[in-house]
Amino acid sequence: MKAAILNAYNEPLEIADIQIDKPGPREVLVKTAASGVCHSDLHIIEGKIPIAPPLVAGHEPAGIVEQVGRDVSYVKPGDRVIACLSIFCGLCEYCTTGRTNLCGGADQDRQPGEPPRLSRDGVPILQAAQLASYAEQMLVPENALVKVREEIPLDRAALIGCGVTTGVGAALNTARVKPGSTCVVIGCGGVGLSAIQGCRIAGAGRIIAVDTEEWKLELARKVGATDGVNGSDGSAVETVNEMTGGGVDYAFEAIGLKQTIRQAYDMSRKGGTTVMVGVTAVGVDVELPGFDIVVSEKKILGSLMGSNAFRVDMPRYVDFYLNGQLLLDEIISARRPLEDINVCFDEMKKGAAARSVIVFD
Amino acid sequence: MKAAILNAYNEPLEIADIQIDKPGPREVLVKTAASGVCHSDLHIIEGKIPIAPPLVAGHEPAGIVEQVGRDVSYVKPGDRVIACLSIFCGLCEYCTTGRTNLCGGADQDRQPGEPPRLSRDGVPILQAAQLASYAEQMLVPENALVKVREEIPLDRAALIGCGVTTGVGAALNTARVKPGSTCVVIGCGGVGLSAIQGCRIAGAGRIIAVDTEEWKLELARKVGATDGVNGSDGSAVETVNEMTGGGVDYAFEAIGLKQTIRQAYDMSRKGGTTVMVGVTAVGVDVELPGFDIVVSEKKILGSLMGSNAFRVDMPRYVDFYLNGQLLLDEIISARRPLEDINVCFDEMKKGAAARSVIVFD
């Protein structure tokens, strides 16, 4: 099958034929229908999240079940599924206390002696996050999958697999945004636009979008922002604090940069909450003012994949889409074949896309 | 009346006679019985919390009401009271949503034209935190006071005015420690020893005390720590993570140093909470690993004065003391007259005291 391979950091992905194994007892072979292109993959390509190549990245997919392992009971061939990297065991301290997104399921790879899931002429290829959705097929654990309704097209369902769940869940699950509260979202890519929608769905009174691209601010308003602030001139913190009389209740950072995390913090009011959604490069320290954290009693919350219990959350987000509460068509900037995947990353680097989706035949 | 005056940063306090005004309509004159000596005052003396001298510090007092202003209804002369710097208005967005500790009440000083509360030969002297308890009398807003039961001696009640409430409240109010959970407390001074007791009262399963002084670790065990770790050799993080299989549910930092805040963070497990209780010097940035905050979905919570609603919390803490749940006698290292206040700060700098209390006749 065809896949996009990272052979070395900072090189363009290579499209090539590779081999995929057969399902083990609790594994599922999925025909990939679509995969969103997420910024964390750019971190992997650039070595900022260091995972050793050769590898296949991609972790925001939807598809159709082709084949299931002996002990799989949750899905059958023909089922329409979203795959999520929050693979859960259902048994650990995190799963049994309702925090399945913190289960280490995705870290467990195959046992010694088992054939690799992916290989090329006998050389193992790493399957990033146990998904590797920049490929025509995926061989994934059963507990990486959630079934979805027939009615949602799979290119839109794919986005729910990571970015949309990360953003919407940051508002609904991590922050538990209160109706009537004030929110700011820094960064209006796929995750930020989803956080804005999460705030809207939660009934926030004011949702301020911050970005340096005017077209993204327009898009932000289209999906639910009540205000847009262009941060190009460096005055966004001051502007937001003036607009809100001293800062917002919830400040979401959806980029993953040290500077914008500090800006989000500085936009949060006394007693307010900063939600760190954007994934920073490994090794980057966030610098926050110690005295102010204590005397202003602020909260800083990390949010991993929108604190999801994805088998519960994702069908709800599908419902939100189908009933018009969650806008997905609007945040897709481009649909491209796998062959054009490097174009997607080039555009991402330039800030020229909200969310690109790779679509397969 | 006699007071301890800071004339310039880093100078010993001067004991001298100064003038105190009469109560305004909603003010109360309190005869100071005792005042704990808190580390934040050392920050003020050293200019790390910059408040311009001349001033009188001290904010952990108990005393007896001497005289009340025209409109005061809450207390009458002879009442035994604790004074707290979390002065609340009862009307603002914070007070009306149950976060009275975030009310800006303590920031409002007298109006222009009004005489200063404290002065020396006509020169105004700043009353730090609107309390200034290193003095024989205090002139404070009515809403800085809470009445306490007869049975508690005022030198022990004084501690509840700041350090004890800060530590106990950090566990009970800010973190809401769950029964059976694992906790670590870094720094076993008055605040840390109180945080340990808050964890114990909340039913924590394991409470690990960390300090560099063996006698403080012994004291920590006496008040409720299940384990003590001496951090002198720099291996405290590793030790605590080994003891707990990957870190604690709640890590409390009760010193206010950048390094120990990072240690507390590194001792918190995946999904865990770091509670910043110790007040850092102004201008000190805390450095925390951005990638880990997100992917380990950690929480960092500032805790100001134990997230108190002090008129409700402090009488409860007094009850805890009187029924034996909260140990206060044990954490008082020394009782000294006002004249010896500089000895208290010298000992604090050397780490030679848990909590010192200034007692008045």
Side-chain angles (χ1 to χ4, degrees), chain A residues 284-360:
Chain A
V284 171
D285 275 351
V286 176
E287 292 179 22
L288 298 170
F291 183 80
D292 186 64
I293 293 175
V294 175
V295 302
S296 298
E297 199 162 83
K298 291 189 176 181
K299 299 177 185 67
I300 300 110
L301 308 179
S303 179
L304 175 64
M305 295 290 295
S307 307
N308 74 75
F310 76 81
R311 284 233 178 123
V312 175
D313 290 342
M314 289 188 181
R316 291 182 182 178
Y317 300 165
V318 169
D319 289 347
F320 281 155
Y321 171 72
L322 292 171
N323 71 21
Q325 285 178 276
L326 179 64
L327 306 176
L328 298 179
D329 303 71
E330 289 75 359
I331 69 179
I332 297 178
S333 306
R335 291 175 176 79
R336 298 187 193 280
L338 186 63
E339 286 72 12
D340 291 352
I341 189 160
N342 292 307
V343 177
C344 298
F345 287 110
D346 289 343
E347 288 185 345
M348 185 187 286
K349 286 184 221 173
K350 285 185 264 177
R355 204 66 163 186
S356 304
V357 183
I358 300 294
V359 288
F360 297 81

Coordinates of all heavy atoms in Angstrom, one line a residue, chain A residues 284-360:
Chain A
V284 N 11.1 22.9 25.4 CA 10.8 24.3 25.5 C 10.1 24.6 26.9 O 9.1 24.0 27.2 CB 9.8 24.8 24.4 CG1 9.3 26.2 24.7 CG2 10.5 24.7 23.1
D285 N 10.7 25.4 27.7 CA 10.2 25.8 29.0 C 9.2 27.0 28.8 O 9.6 27.9 28.1 CB 11.2 26.1 30.0 CG 11.8 24.9 30.7 OD1 11.2 23.8 30.5 OD2 12.8 25.0 31.4
V286 N 8.1 26.9 29.5 CA 7.2 28.1 29.6 C 7.6 28.9 30.8 O 7.9 28.4 31.8 CB 5.8 27.5 29.8 CG1 4.8 28.7 29.9 CG2 5.4 26.6 28.6
E287 N 7.6 30.2 30.6 CA 8.0 31.1 31.7 C 6.8 31.9 32.2 O 6.2 32.7 31.4 CB 9.1 32.0 31.3 CG 10.4 31.2 31.0 CD 11.6 32.1 30.6 OE1 11.5 33.3 30.8 OE2 12.5 31.6 30.0
L288 N 6.4 31.7 33.4 CA 5.3 32.3 34.0 C 5.6 33.0 35.3 O 6.5 32.5 36.0 CB 4.2 31.3 34.2 CG 3.7 30.6 32.9 CD1 2.7 29.4 33.3 CD2 2.9 31.6 32.0
P289 N 5.0 34.1 35.6 CA 5.4 34.9 36.8 C 4.9 34.3 38.1 O 3.7 34.3 38.4 CB 4.7 36.3 36.5 CG 3.5 36.0 35.6 CD 3.9 34.7 34.8
G290 N 5.8 33.9 38.9 CA 5.5 33.2 40.1 C 4.7 33.9 41.1 O 3.7 33.4 41.6
F291 N 5.0 35.2 41.4 CA 4.3 36.0 42.3 C 2.8 36.1 41.9 O 1.9 36.0 42.7 CB 4.9 37.4 42.4 CG 4.3 38.3 43.4 CD1 4.6 38.1 44.8 CD2 3.5 39.3 43.0 CE1 4.1 39.0 45.7 CE2 2.9 40.1 44.0 CZ 3.2 40.0 45.3
D292 N 2.6 36.4 40.6 CA 1.3 36.7 40.1 C 0.4 35.4 40.1 O -0.8 35.5 40.4 CB 1.4 37.2 38.7 CG 0.0 37.6 38.1 OD1 -0.6 38.5 38.7 OD2 -0.5 37.0 37.2
I293 N 1.0 34.2 39.8 CA 0.2 33.0 39.8 C -0.4 32.8 41.2 O -1.6 32.5 41.4 CB 1.1 31.8 39.5 CG1 1.6 31.8 38.1 CG2 0.4 30.5 39.8 CD1 2.6 30.7 37.7
V294 N 0.4 33.1 42.3 CA -0.1 32.9 43.6 C -1.1 34.0 44.0 O -2.2 33.8 44.4 CB 1.1 32.9 44.7 CG1 0.6 32.8 46.1 CG2 1.9 31.6 44.4
V295 N -0.6 35.3 43.9 CA -1.5 36.4 44.4 C -2.7 36.6 43.6 O -3.7 37.2 44.0 CB -0.7 37.7 44.7 CG1 0.4 37.5 45.6 CG2 -0.3 38.3 43.4
S296 N -2.7 36.3 42.3 CA -3.9 36.4 41.5 C -4.6 35.0 41.4 O -5.6 34.9 40.7 CB -3.5 36.8 40.1 OG -3.0 38.1 40.1
E297 N -4.1 34.0 42.1 CA -4.7 32.7 42.2 C -5.1 32.2 40.8 O -6.3 31.9 40.6 CB -5.8 32.7 43.2 CG -6.1 31.3 43.7 CD -7.0 31.2 44.9 OE1 -8.2 31.3 44.8 OE2 -6.4 31.0 46.0
K298 N -4.2 32.1 39.9 CA -4.5 31.7 38.5 C -4.3 30.2 38.4 O -3.5 29.6 39.2 CB -3.7 32.5 37.5 CG -4.0 34.0 37.4 CD -3.3 34.6 36.3 CE -3.8 36.1 36.2 NZ -3.2 36.8 35.0
K299 N -5.0 29.7 37.4 CA -4.9 28.2 37.1 C -4.3 28.1 35.7 O -4.6 28.8 34.8 CB -6.3 27.6 37.1 CG -7.0 27.6 38.4 CD -8.4 27.0 38.2 CE -9.3 27.2 39.4 NZ -9.6 28.6 39.7
I300 N -3.4 27.1 35.6 CA -2.8 26.7 34.3 C -3.1 25.3 34.1 O -2.7 24.4 34.9 CB -1.3 27.0 34.2 CG1 -1.0 28.5 34.4 CG2 -0.7 26.6 32.9 CD1 -0.3 28.8 35.7
L301 N -3.8 24.9 33.1 CA -4.3 23.6 32.8 C -3.7 23.0 31.5 O -4.0 23.6 30.5 CB -5.8 23.4 32.8 CG -6.6 24.0 34.0 CD1 -8.1 23.8 33.7 CD2 -6.2 23.4 35.3
G302 N -3.0 22.0 31.6 CA -2.6 21.3 30.3 C -3.9 20.5 29.8 O -4.6 20.0 30.6
S303 N -4.0 20.5 28.5 CA -5.2 19.8 27.9 C -4.7 18.9 26.8 O -4.1 19.3 25.8 CB -6.2 20.8 27.3 OG -7.3 20.2 26.7
L304 N -4.8 17.6 27.1 CA -4.3 16.6 26.1 C -5.4 16.0 25.3 O -6.3 15.4 25.9 CB -3.6 15.5 26.9 CG -3.1 14.3 26.0 CD1 -2.1 14.7 25.0 CD2 -2.6 13.1 26.8
M305 N -5.5 16.3 24.0 CA -6.5 15.8 23.2 C -7.9 16.1 23.7 O -8.8 15.3 23.7 CB -6.3 14.3 23.0 CG -5.1 13.8 22.3 SD -5.1 14.2 20.5 CE -6.4 13.1 20.0
G306 N -8.0 17.3 24.3 CA -9.3 17.7 24.8 C -9.9 16.9 25.9 O -11.1 16.8 26.1
S307 N -9.0 16.3 26.7 CA -9.4 15.5 27.9 C -10.5 14.6 27.5 O -11.5 14.4 28.2 CB -9.9 16.4 29.0 OG -8.9 17.4 29.4
N308 N -10.3 13.9 26.4 CA -11.4 13.1 25.8 C -11.6 11.8 26.4 O -10.7 11.1 26.9 CB -11.2 12.9 24.3 CG -10.1 11.9 24.0 OD1 -10.3 10.7 24.2 ND2 -8.9 12.3 23.6
A309 N -12.9 11.3 26.4 CA -13.2 9.9 26.5 C -13.8 9.7 25.1 O -15.0 9.9 24.9 CB -14.2 9.7 27.6
F310 N -13.0 9.4 24.2 CA -13.4 9.6 22.8 C -14.6 8.8 22.3 O -15.3 9.2 21.4 CB -12.2 9.6 21.8 CG -11.7 8.2 21.5 CD1 -12.3 7.4 20.5 CD2 -10.5 7.7 22.1 CE1 -11.8 6.2 20.2 CE2 -10.0 6.5 21.8 CZ -10.7 5.7 20.9
R311 N -14.7 7.6 22.9 CA -15.9 6.8 22.4 C -17.2 7.4 22.9 O -18.2 7.1 22.3 CB -15.8 5.4 23.1 CG -14.7 4.5 22.3 CD -15.3 3.2 21.9 NE -14.3 2.4 21.2 CZ -13.9 1.2 21.5 NH1 -14.4 0.6 22.5 NH2 -13.0 0.6 20.8
V312 N -17.1 8.3 23.8 CA -18.3 9.0 24.2 C -18.4 10.4 23.5 O -19.4 10.8 23.0 CB -18.4 9.3 25.8 CG1 -19.5 10.1 26.2 CG2 -18.4 7.9 26.5
D313 N -17.2 11.1 23.5 CA -17.2 12.5 23.0 C -17.4 12.5 21.5 O -18.1 13.4 21.0 CB -15.9 13.1 23.4 CG -15.7 13.4 24.8 OD1 -16.7 13.4 25.6 OD2 -14.6 13.6 25.3
M314 N -16.7 11.7 20.8 CA -16.7 11.8 19.3 C -18.1 11.6 18.7 O -18.5 12.4 17.8 CB -15.6 11.0 18.7 CG -14.2 11.5 19.0 SD -12.9 10.6 18.1 CE -11.5 11.5 18.7
P315 N -18.9 10.6 19.1 CA -20.2 10.6 18.5 C -21.1 11.8 18.8 O -21.9 12.2 18.0 CB -20.8 9.3 19.2 CG -19.6 8.5 19.6 CD -18.5 9.5 19.9
R316 N -20.8 12.4 20.0 CA -21.5 13.7 20.3 C -21.1 14.8 19.4 O -21.9 15.6 18.9 CB -21.2 14.1 21.8 CG -21.8 13.2 22.8 CD -21.5 13.7 24.2 NE -22.1 12.7 25.1 CZ -21.9 12.8 26.5 NH1 -21.3 13.8 27.0 NH2 -22.5 11.9 27.2
Y317 N -19.8 14.9 19.1 CA -19.3 15.9 18.2 C -19.8 15.7 16.8 O -20.1 16.6 16.0 CB -17.8 16.0 18.2 CG -17.2 16.3 19.6 CD1 -15.8 16.1 19.8 CD2 -18.0 16.8 20.6 CE1 -15.3 16.4 21.1 CE2 -17.4 17.1 21.9 CZ -16.1 16.8 22.1 OH -15.5 17.1 23.3
V318 N -20.0 14.4 16.4 CA -20.6 14.1 15.1 C -22.1 14.6 15.1 O -22.5 15.2 14.1 CB -20.6 12.6 14.8 CG1 -21.4 12.2 13.6 CG2 -19.1 12.1 14.6
D319 N -22.8 14.4 16.2 CA -24.1 14.9 16.3 C -24.1 16.4 16.2 O -25.0 17.0 15.5 CB -24.8 14.5 17.6 CG -25.1 13.0 17.7 OD1 -25.1 12.3 16.6 OD2 -25.4 12.5 18.8
F320 N -23.2 17.0 16.9 CA -23.1 18.5 16.9 C -22.9 19.0 15.4 O -23.5 20.0 15.0 CB -21.9 19.0 17.6 CG -22.0 19.1 19.1 CD1 -20.9 19.0 20.0 CD2 -23.3 19.3 19.7 CE1 -21.0 19.1 21.4 CE2 -23.4 19.3 21.1 CZ -22.3 19.2 21.9
Y321 N -22.1 18.2 14.6 CA -21.9 18.6 13.2 C -23.2 18.4 12.4 O -23.6 19.3 11.7 CB -20.8 17.8 12.6 CG -20.7 17.9 11.1 CD1 -20.2 19.1 10.5 CD2 -21.2 16.9 10.2 CE1 -20.2 19.3 9.2 CE2 -21.1 17.1 8.8 CZ -20.6 18.3 8.3 OH -20.6 18.5 7.0
L322 N -23.9 17.3 12.7 CA -25.0 17.0 11.8 C -26.2 17.9 12.2 O -27.1 18.2 11.4 CB -25.4 15.5 12.0 CG -24.4 14.6 11.3 CD1 -24.6 13.1 11.7 CD2 -24.3 14.8 9.8
N323 N -26.3 18.4 13.4 CA -27.4 19.3 13.8 C -27.0 20.8 13.6 O -27.7 21.7 14.0 CB -27.9 19.0 15.2 CG -27.0 19.4 16.3 OD1 -26.1 20.2 16.1 ND2 -27.2 18.8 17.5
G324 N -25.8 21.0 13.1 CA -25.4 22.4 12.8 C -24.7 23.2 13.9 O -24.3 24.3 13.7
Q325 N -24.5 22.6 15.1 CA -23.8 23.3 16.1 C -22.3 23.4 15.9 O -21.7 24.3 16.5 CB -24.1 22.6 17.5 CG -25.5 22.8 18.1 CD -25.6 22.0 19.4 OE1 -25.9 20.8 19.4 NE2 -25.4 22.7 20.5
L326 N -21.8 22.4 15.2 CA -20.3 22.4 15.0 C -20.0 22.5 13.6 O -20.5 21.6 12.8 CB -19.8 21.0 15.6 CG -18.3 20.8 15.4 CD1 -17.4 21.8 16.3 CD2 -17.9 19.3 15.9
L327 N -19.3 23.5 13.2 CA -19.0 23.8 11.8 C -17.7 23.2 11.4 O -16.7 23.5 12.0 CB -19.0 25.3 11.5 CG -20.3 26.0 12.0 CD1 -20.1 27.5 11.8 CD2 -21.5 25.5 11.3
L328 N -17.7 22.2 10.4 CA -16.5 21.6 10.0 C -16.1 21.9 8.6 O -14.9 22.1 8.3 CB -16.6 20.0 10.2 CG -16.8 19.5 11.6 CD1 -17.0 18.0 11.6 CD2 -15.7 19.9 12.5
D329 N -17.1 22.0 7.7 CA -16.9 22.4 6.3 C -16.0 23.7 6.2 O -15.1 23.8 5.4 CB -18.2 22.5 5.5 CG -19.0 21.3 5.6 OD1 -19.6 21.1 6.7 OD2 -19.2 20.6 4.6
E330 N -16.4 24.6 7.1 CA -15.8 25.9 7.1 C -14.3 25.9 7.4 O -13.5 26.8 7.0 CB -16.5 26.9 8.1 CG -17.9 27.3 7.6 CD -19.0 26.2 7.8 OE1 -18.6 25.1 8.2 OE2 -20.1 26.5 7.5
I331 N -13.9 24.9 8.2 CA -12.4 25.0 8.6 C -11.5 24.2 7.8 O -10.3 24.2 8.0 CB -12.3 24.6 10.1 CG1 -12.6 23.1 10.4 CG2 -13.2 25.4 11.0 CD1 -12.4 22.7 11.9
I332 N -12.1 23.5 6.8 CA -11.2 22.8 5.8 C -10.8 23.7 4.7 O -11.6 24.2 4.0 CB -12.0 21.6 5.2 CG1 -12.3 20.5 6.3 CG2 -11.1 20.9 4.1 CD1 -13.1 19.3 5.8
S333 N -9.5 24.0 4.7 CA -8.9 24.9 3.7 C -8.7 24.2 2.4 O -8.8 24.8 1.3 CB -7.6 25.5 4.2 OG -7.7 26.0 5.4
A334 N -8.3 23.0 2.4 CA -8.0 22.3 1.1 C -8.1 20.8 1.3 O -7.9 20.2 2.4 CB -6.6 22.6 0.7
R335 N -8.6 20.1 0.3 CA -8.5 18.6 0.2 C -7.5 18.2 -0.8 O -7.6 18.7 -1.9 CB -9.9 18.1 -0.2 CG -11.0 18.3 0.9 CD -12.4 17.9 0.4 NE -13.4 18.0 1.4 CZ -14.0 19.1 1.8 NH1 -13.7 20.3 1.2 NH2 -14.9 19.1 2.7
R336 N -6.6 17.4 -0.5 CA -5.5 17.0 -1.4 C -5.2 15.5 -1.4 O -5.5 14.9 -0.4 CB -4.2 17.7 -1.0 CG -4.3 19.2 -1.0 CD -2.9 19.9 -0.8 NE -3.0 21.3 -0.5 CZ -3.2 22.2 -1.4 NH1 -3.2 21.9 -2.7 NH2 -3.3 23.5 -1.1
P337 N -4.7 15.0 -2.5 CA -4.3 13.6 -2.5 C -3.0 13.4 -1.7 O -2.3 14.4 -1.5 CB -4.1 13.3 -4.0 CG -3.8 14.6 -4.6 CD -4.5 15.7 -3.8
L338 N -2.8 12.2 -1.3 CA -1.6 11.9 -0.5 C -0.3 12.4 -1.2 O 0.6 12.9 -0.5 CB -1.5 10.4 -0.3 CG -0.3 9.9 0.6 CD1 -0.5 10.4 2.0 CD2 -0.2 8.4 0.7
E339 N -0.3 12.4 -2.5 CA 0.9 12.8 -3.3 C 1.2 14.3 -3.0 O 2.4 14.7 -3.1 CB 0.7 12.7 -4.8 CG 0.7 11.2 -5.3 CD -0.5 10.4 -4.9 OE1 -1.5 11.0 -4.4 OE2 -0.4 9.2 -5.1
D340 N 0.2 15.1 -2.6 CA 0.5 16.5 -2.3 C 0.7 16.8 -0.8 O 0.6 18.0 -0.4 CB -0.7 17.3 -2.8 CG -0.8 17.3 -4.3 OD1 0.2 16.8 -5.0 OD2 -1.8 17.8 -4.9
I341 N 1.1 15.8 0.0 CA 1.1 16.1 1.4 C 2.2 17.1 1.8 O 2.0 17.9 2.7 CB 1.4 14.7 2.2 CG1 1.2 15.0 3.7 CG2 2.7 14.1 1.8 CD1 1.0 13.8 4.5
N342 N 3.3 17.2 1.0 CA 4.3 18.1 1.4 C 3.8 19.6 1.1 O 4.3 20.5 1.8 CB 5.6 17.9 0.6 CG 6.3 16.6 1.0 OD1 6.5 16.4 2.2 ND2 6.5 15.7 0.1
V343 N 2.9 19.7 0.2 CA 2.3 21.1 0.0 C 1.5 21.5 1.3 O 1.6 22.6 1.7 CB 1.3 21.0 -1.2 CG1 0.6 22.4 -1.4 CG2 2.0 20.6 -2.5
C344 N 0.8 20.5 1.9 CA 0.1 20.8 3.1 C 1.0 21.4 4.2 O 0.7 22.4 4.9 CB -0.6 19.6 3.6 SG -1.8 18.9 2.5
F345 N 2.2 20.7 4.4 CA 3.1 21.2 5.4 C 3.7 22.6 5.0 O 4.0 23.4 5.9 CB 4.2 20.1 5.7 CG 3.6 19.0 6.5 CD1 3.5 17.7 5.9 CD2 3.2 19.1 7.8 CE1 3.0 16.6 6.6 CE2 2.7 18.1 8.5 CZ 2.6 16.8 7.9
D346 N 4.0 22.8 3.7 CA 4.5 24.1 3.3 C 3.5 25.2 3.6 O 3.9 26.2 4.2 CB 4.8 24.1 1.8 CG 6.0 23.2 1.5 OD1 6.8 22.9 2.4 OD2 6.2 22.8 0.3
E347 N 2.2 24.9 3.4 CA 1.2 25.9 3.7 C 1.1 26.1 5.2 O 0.8 27.2 5.6 CB -0.1 25.5 3.1 CG -0.1 25.6 1.5 CD -1.5 25.3 1.0 OE1 -2.4 24.7 1.7 OE2 -1.7 25.6 -0.2
M348 N 1.2 25.0 5.9 CA 1.1 25.2 7.4 C 2.2 26.1 7.9 O 1.9 27.0 8.7 CB 1.2 23.8 8.0 CG 1.0 23.8 9.5 SD 1.4 22.1 10.2 CE 0.0 21.2 9.6
K349 N 3.4 25.9 7.4 CA 4.5 26.7 7.8 C 4.3 28.2 7.6 O 4.6 29.1 8.3 CB 5.8 26.3 7.2 CG 6.4 25.0 7.7 CD 7.7 24.7 7.0 CE 7.8 23.2 6.7 NZ 9.0 22.8 5.9
K350 N 3.6 28.5 6.4 CA 3.3 29.8 6.0 C 2.0 30.4 6.7 O 1.7 31.5 6.5 CB 3.1 29.9 4.5 CG 4.5 29.8 3.8 CD 4.2 30.0 2.3 CE 4.1 28.7 1.5 NZ 3.8 28.8 0.1
G351 N 1.3 29.6 7.5 CA 0.1 30.0 8.1 C -1.0 30.2 7.0 O -2.0 31.0 7.2
A352 N -0.9 29.5 5.9 CA -1.8 29.7 4.8 C -3.0 28.8 4.8 O -3.9 28.9 3.9 CB -1.0 29.6 3.4
A353 N -3.1 27.9 5.8 CA -4.3 27.0 5.8 C -4.8 26.9 7.2 O -4.1 27.1 8.2 CB -3.8 25.6 5.4
A354 N -6.1 26.7 7.3 CA -6.7 26.5 8.7 C -6.5 25.0 8.9 O -5.8 24.6 9.8 CB -8.2 26.8 8.7
R355 N -7.1 24.1 8.1 CA -6.9 22.7 8.2 C -6.9 22.1 6.8 O -7.9 22.3 6.1 CB -8.0 22.0 9.0 CG -7.6 20.7 9.7 CD -6.5 20.9 10.7 NE -6.3 19.8 11.7 CZ -5.5 19.9 12.7 NH1 -4.8 21.1 12.9 NH2 -5.3 18.9 13.6
S356 N -5.9 21.3 6.4 CA -5.9 20.6 5.2 C -6.2 19.2 5.5 O -5.9 18.6 6.6 CB -4.5 20.6 4.6 OG -4.1 21.9 4.4
V357 N -6.9 18.5 4.5 CA -7.2 17.1 4.7 C -6.7 16.3 3.5 O -6.9 16.7 2.3 CB -8.8 16.9 4.8 CG1 -9.1 15.5 5.0 CG2 -9.3 17.8 5.9
I358 N -6.0 15.2 3.8 CA -5.6 14.3 2.7 C -6.8 13.4 2.5 O -7.3 12.8 3.4 CB -4.4 13.5 3.2 CG1 -3.2 14.4 3.5 CG2 -4.0 12.4 2.1 CD1 -2.6 15.1 2.3
V359 N -7.2 13.3 1.2 CA -8.3 12.4 0.9 C -7.8 11.2 0.0 O -7.0 11.4 -0.9 CB -9.5 13.1 0.2 CG1 -10.2 14.0 1.3 CG2 -9.0 13.9 -0.9
F360 N -8.3 10.0 0.3 CA -7.9 8.8 -0.5 C -9.1 8.5 -1.3 O -10.3 8.8 -1.1 CB -7.6 7.7 0.5 CG -6.4 8.0 1.4 CD1 -6.5 8.8 2.5 CD2 -5.1 7.6 1.0 CE1 -5.4 9.1 3.3 CE2 -4.0 7.9 1.8 CZ -4.2 8.6 3.0

